[in-house]
Amino acid sequence: MMKSLGISPSVVTFNSLFLILLKRGRTGMVYELFDEMLKTYGAKPDVYTFNILIRGSCINSMVDQGFRFFKEMEKHGCDPDVITYNTIIDGLCRAGKVKIAHNVLKGMVKKGHQLSPNVVSYTTLVRGYCEKQEVERALDVFEEMVDCGLKPTSITYNTLVQGLCEAKKFDRIKEILEGTLGGGGLIPDTCTFNTLITYHCNVENLDEAMKVFENMSHLKVKPDSATYSVLIRSFCQKGYFDRAEKLFDDLMKKEILLCDDGCTPLVAAYNPMFEYLCKIGKTKKAEKVFRQLMRRGTQDPFAYEILIMGHCREGTFNDAHELLVLMLRRDYIPSIEIYESLIEGLLQKNDPKVAYDTLEKMLKSSHLPRSSTFHQILTELIKKNCASECASLVILMLDNKVRQSISLSTDIVRILFQTGLRERAFEIVRCLYENEYMVNMEDLVVFLCQCRKLLEARELLLFSLSKGHILNVDTCSTLLYSLCKARRASEAFEIYYELLEKGVQQPLKCLEELRLVLETEGRTKEAEFVKKRTLGQSQSDRLVQTCASEGDISNV
């Protein structure tokens, strides 16, 4: 927009652009803009421009380009400042070019008092030599810094201590701690002790590590989560779980994991302790520390699984389910073993609703349970009369092509009718038949008649007839008789007519009841229709009896 309006960008404009583009890693665009800045707009770069370009190049692993910018400063009349030198020294050290970085520092010294290296300059170089495992050179730089009258900071000391630990120069570490190296300026902090403890643990010298840990309290230096994690993990690796548990208890009691000391705890470091506690029946203790870690915002999917399985072994399945929910909220996918163990335990504890909820989550995690798992949960839901959950589970089973059991399906429909969920019951029946499964219609019709749910029984029988399934004569008679008794002549006649259409013959007594109730309600045509068929049925029955008595069955 500035270009279109004819406004020439200044060096401040370009500096702002360089800063944001380099943070995004857009180095190519930055170099093009730098050329445009010089050739098109004639804007003169300043020391801030080069500091931004050098730092951005080093951050994006282009230290050679950063060094070229450093050399180019003189051509543009810019004098490097301390920040410039420290930036290029840091970049060179990170790229492993420590000797070149050292030469840059020496060149800085030659500039005189106007541009002297500071503590950051020397500390960066010390770190570079330590990372290259050239500890003697690092010590030379350290002593050079002290000779220049600069006082090392705790960062300087800790960097050097770490390098000496890796090089096993314990005498020199002792000199630093006793104040004979560096002018006695070191005041050990948590980082110092953590460096020493980590080293002793790495070489399996745990007794020495504990001495350093105990010395912290003598010097009133507070341990942090890193202090405890390295000790606990090391004791667990050696099988010294009793000693590890004491530290674990101390960690939990002091709530060290909740201290916002800038040290972010690592959950995985405590997993060996979690595993041990869960195996010996102390899952709740492990979970207390785990929840402290959660409050610090650190997560680990394996830790969730360790604790969930621990709860399952101890029979605290609802606690396990709660952790499962938390795990899923953080988009971690539990293993199939976690789901199966939890479902099995919840069913043993007679909690099928939570088991069903777990099964739903299992499916969302792309794990398909065994058919037997579906049926086990369904059986327990039926025992608890959980009508709504039963219906939902049947639909879920059909969606996942899980075979259906006639007896279970019949029980579910019965419970739905029993609890007043009429429409849901018919929905389940329709879905079952659409998927080529069946229910025991005879049992359901008789059950509904007993419960005086005659309209529901009638609808079920008509549905069965529409599917070509003829119910037995006794069941049909029971429904017709119940409808007649309830003075529901119209519904009874409809059933009778449909049965005739399907070729089903009914007992005479039932038809007589139907004729009488039709006449009572003034439905003479329907009554006459039933009467004719009643007489026809009676004559047919007498003929059968006569022929049977004469032994001439062939005439029937």
Side-chain angles (χ1 to χ4, degrees):
M1 187 181 291
M2 289 176 73
K3 286 182 178 182
S4 65
L5 295 173
I7 301 172
S8 296
S10 67
V11 65
V12 177
T13 308
F14 281 104
N15 287 348
S16 300
L17 282 171
F18 296 153
L19 188 65
I20 193 68
L21 289 170
L22 287 167
K23 283 183 178 179
R24 297 288 184 91
R26 306 292 294 274
T27 53
M29 185 179 288
V30 168
Y31 301 149
E32 290 175 7
L33 274 174
F34 183 67
D35 289 338
E36 187 176 355
M37 170 185 169
L38 298 175
K39 297 174 182 177
T40 305
Y41 295 100
K44 185 180 179 181
D46 56 19
V47 67
Y48 300 108
T49 309
F50 284 105
N51 284 348
I52 292 168
L53 293 172
I54 292 168
R55 180 167 178 77
S57 297
C58 292
I59 287 174
N60 288 287
S61 302
M62 302 176 71
V63 68
D64 290 339
Q65 180 61 48
F67 200 61
R68 280 194 288 271
F69 279 125
F70 176 71
K71 290 182 176 180
E72 199 174 327
M73 291 180 73
E74 186 177 353
K75 185 176 74 172
H76 292 280
C78 290
D79 293 325
D81 59 11
V82 176
I83 294 173
T84 313
Y85 275 98
N86 287 347
T87 302
I88 196 66
I89 289 170
D90 180 67
L92 289 165
C93 286
R94 290 183 185 277
K97 300 179 179 183
V98 187
K99 289 183 179 179
I100 299 174
H102 201 162
N103 289 333
V104 171
L105 186 138
K106 289 175 181 177
M108 191 178 179
V109 173
K110 291 178 182 179
K111 292 280 185 178
H113 294 291
Q114 294 179 346
L115 192 64
S116 299
N118 59 14
V119 176
V120 175
S121 314
Y122 283 104
T123 301
T124 303
L125 200 55
V126 167
R127 188 198 71 222
Y129 276 122
C130 286
E131 288 176 351
K132 295 280 284 185
Q133 295 185 347
E134 296 182 21
V135 184
E136 291 300 331
R137 300 297 299 273
L139 285 166
D140 291 341
V141 173
F142 180 79
E143 290 175 357
E144 182 184 334
M145 175 178 62
V146 175
D147 292 341
C148 290
L150 293 172
K151 187 177 181 179
T153 65
S154 60
I155 296 174
T156 313
Y157 279 115
N158 288 334
T159 302
L160 191 55
V161 167
Q162 184 168 351
L164 291 169
C165 279
E166 292 172 358
K168 301 181 181 179
K169 300 285 186 179
F170 303 113
D171 292 339
R172 307 309 295 270
I173 295 173
K174 189 176 181 181
E175 289 177 20
I176 292 176
L177 295 174
E178 291 175 351
T180 58
L181 182 64
L186 173 62
I187 300 175
D189 59 10
T190 305
C191 183
T192 313
F193 284 105
N194 284 352
T195 302
L196 294 169
I197 289 170
T198 301
Y199 170 75
H200 287 304
C201 288
N202 288 341
V203 297
E204 299 185 358
N205 194 349
L206 301 186
D207 290 334
E208 197 63 36
M210 281 303 295
K211 286 180 183 178
V212 176
F213 177 72
E214 290 162 3
N215 198 29
M216 291 181 77
S217 61
H218 296 322
L219 296 174
K220 297 183 179 179
V221 178
K222 290 185 178 180
D224 60 10
S225 61
T227 316
Y228 280 93
S229 67
V230 68
L231 285 168
I232 291 171
R233 184 177 67 249
S234 299
F235 279 126
C236 287
Q237 287 172 347
K238 294 293 289 183
Y240 302 149
F241 292 106
D242 290 342
R243 297 178 71 178
E245 190 174 356
K246 288 179 181 178
L247 288 167
F248 193 83
D249 292 340
D250 194 42
L251 175 79
M252 179 174 59
K253 182 180 178 182
K254 294 178 180 177
E255 294 188 338
I256 288 172
L257 293 172
L258 299 178
C259 298
D260 190 11
D261 53 9
C263 177
T264 304
L266 185 66
V267 184
Y270 298 95
N271 283 347
M273 196 66 211
F274 292 155
E275 285 188 277
Y276 168 72
L277 291 172
C278 290
K279 284 180 181 177
I280 63 172
K282 295 182 178 180
T283 303
K284 288 186 177 179
K285 179 193 280 192
E287 188 178 341
K288 284 181 181 178
V289 171
F290 179 69
R291 286 187 176 272
Q292 288 180 4
L293 287 163
M294 287 174 62
R295 286 168 65 183
R296 283 297 302 276
T298 58
Q299 308 291 334
D300 180 65
F302 186 54
Y304 279 104
E305 295 204 350
I306 292 170
L307 293 168
I308 291 171
M309 291 302 291
H311 278 302
C312 288
R313 281 192 291 268
E314 293 175 33
T316 48
F317 298 104
N318 285 310
D319 291 333
H321 181 265
E322 187 178 334
L323 283 174
L324 176 73
V325 173
L326 292 174
M327 187 178 183
L328 292 169
R329 283 179 186 170
R330 285 152 181 83
D331 297 324
Y332 295 134
I333 304 299
S335 66
I336 193 168
E337 182 187 6
I338 292 293
Y339 282 112
E340 289 176 346
S341 298
L342 188 50
I343 290 171
E344 183 181 350
L346 288 165
L347 291 176
Q348 289 175 0
K349 286 289 185 178
N350 203 21
D351 200 345
K353 282 190 176 182
V354 182
Y356 171 48
D357 178 76
T358 305
L359 181 135
E360 286 185 310
K361 289 177 170 54
M362 185 176 181
L363 287 167
K364 289 178 182 177
S365 295
S366 300
H367 296 311
L368 182 62
R370 293 189 291 265
S371 296
S372 58
T373 303
F374 283 98
H375 288 285
Q376 286 171 358
I377 295 175
L378 193 57
T379 301
E380 296 305 315
L381 287 171
I382 290 170
K383 289 178 183 178
K384 289 271 191 177
N385 287 325
C386 302
S388 181
E389 288 81 2
C390 284
S392 298
L393 183 51
V394 168
I395 298 298
L396 198 62
M397 291 170 74
L398 292 173
D399 290 342
N400 287 278
K401 311 298 181 186
V402 178
R403 63 178 176 79
Q404 299 295 307
S405 158
I406 291 180
S407 60
L408 291 179
S409 299
T410 304
D411 288 340
I412 290 163
V413 175
R414 183 185 291 112
I415 291 170
L416 288 168
F417 278 125
Q418 202 169 17
T419 53
L421 298 174
R422 180 182 184 279
E423 294 304 320
R424 190 68 165 152
F426 283 116
E427 178 192 352
I428 294 300
V429 171
R430 285 192 295 271
C431 287
L432 286 167
Y433 276 77
E434 284 171 5
N435 286 273
E436 300 182 352
Y437 293 106
M438 297 178 66
V439 294
N440 191 325
M441 283 292 185
E442 282 84 0
D443 285 357
L444 287 173
V445 169
V446 171
F447 165 76
L448 290 170
C449 289
Q450 292 171 348
C451 296
R452 299 182 182 179
K453 296 181 182 291
L454 303 180
L455 296 181
E456 288 84 347
R458 162 187 161 275
E459 192 169 339
L460 268 187
L461 190 144
L462 291 174
F463 175 83
S464 185
L465 293 174
S466 72
K467 296 296 181 181
H469 301 144
I470 308 301
L471 276 64
N472 63 48
V473 172
D474 290 339
T475 303
C476 296
S477 296
T478 299
L479 176 56
L480 276 174
Y481 184 79
S482 299
L483 287 168
C484 291
K485 190 175 179 180
R487 297 292 186 264
R488 304 200 72 96
S490 177
E491 289 83 357
F493 183 77
E494 181 186 10
I495 292 293
Y496 174 62
Y497 191 82
E498 285 293 327
L499 289 170
L500 286 178
E501 287 290 305
K502 301 294 182 182
V504 179
Q505 299 297 323
Q506 299 296 321
L508 179 62
K509 182 179 179 181
C510 180
L511 296 183
E512 185 63 21
E513 288 288 338
L514 176 59
R515 183 183 66 78
L516 289 173
V517 75
L518 286 168
E519 287 180 351
T520 302
E521 293 187 9
R523 304 176 72 92
T524 54
K525 288 183 179 181
E526 289 91 336
E528 187 64 25
F529 180 87
V530 174
K531 182 178 179 181
K532 288 179 181 179
R533 276 141 189 85
T534 303
L535 292 173
Q537 181 68 35
S538 299
Q539 293 170 358
S540 176
D541 290 345
R542 283 196 294 273
L543 178 60
V544 169
Q545 291 173 2
T546 301
C547 292
S549 62
E550 294 177 355
D552 190 4
I553 299 299
S554 60
N555 288 331
V556 179

